[in-house]
Structure formats: structure tokens, C-alpha cells
Amino acid sequence: MGTAVLMTLPGLVIALTVIAFTDQGLRLLGRRKRQSQISATGFEQLHATFSPGKQSELKERQSALVLRDDEEDGAPPAHSRVDLDGGRAVIRLPRAS
């Protein structure tokens, strides 16, 4: 009987709420050191079921995790210097051959 209740939408919401309260209780007692919440993913997927905007947000977040983030992006050219404390920037363009 309990499994049948959890397979319905209200049962799923109740189960996610119980998991959320248990997760918060363990975190407050100090037994869980992580800040991420177990039930957050379940609630996001439930929200995505009823909201197409949330589905695209989750897909975009997943693709952002896969993309590479280079430290050199946005950096000044190799021969230039930027002095943030002094408020000066020296930009030297490469010579044309």
C-alpha cells in the first residue's frame, strides 16, 4: 500500500517533503557537513515536469557544466600590462610584418 501511495503525485510530494525535513534535521545536528540538499534535485525535477521553462533551465545548467572555462579568456594581450591599483593600462600592439 505504501509503495502505491509513493507512485502518485501527492505521494511523491509527501516523500520529498519528508526527505527535505530529515535532510535539514541531520544538517542542523551536525551529522551532515555538506551544504547541498538531497531533496533539492527531486523538487527541481518535479518542478521541471510541470514547467517547460524549468526544463530548459536544467538543460542549460547541464550544458554549462560540460563546457570548458579557460582562465585566459578575457585576459589582456600577452605584451600588455594592467595595473589595477595604480589605475593604468599599457597596451602594446604586435608589430605588423
Side-chain angles (χ1 to χ4, degrees), residues 7-97:
M7 300 208 44
T8 64
L9 187 59
L12 177 63
V13 172
I14 291 170
L16 285 173
T17 305
V18 168
I19 291 171
F21 278 114
T22 305
D23 187 40
Q24 288 295 321
L26 290 174
R27 194 177 63 79
L28 289 175
L29 290 174
R31 296 198 178 148
R32 289 203 49 213
K33 303 220 184 309
R34 295 184 330 168
Q35 292 296 325
S36 63
Q37 299 173 359
I38 295 171
S39 59
T41 303
F43 279 118
E44 280 188 345
Q45 291 299 325
L46 182 65
H47 185 199
T49 303
F50 298 109
S51 174
K54 186 67 173 183
Q55 288 176 353
S56 61
E57 178 188 335
L58 291 175
K59 287 179 185 176
E60 184 177 330
R61 192 183 305 168
Q62 183 67 28
S63 67
L65 291 173
V66 176
L67 295 177
R68 194 173 80 184
D69 187 23
D70 293 334
E71 290 185 17
E72 297 87 27
D73 288 349
H79 302 289
S80 302
R81 292 181 310 147
V82 177
D83 182 14
L84 295 177
D85 294 330
R88 287 184 59 188
V90 177
I91 299 174
R92 294 194 180 109
L93 297 176
R95 295 182 187 245
S97 13

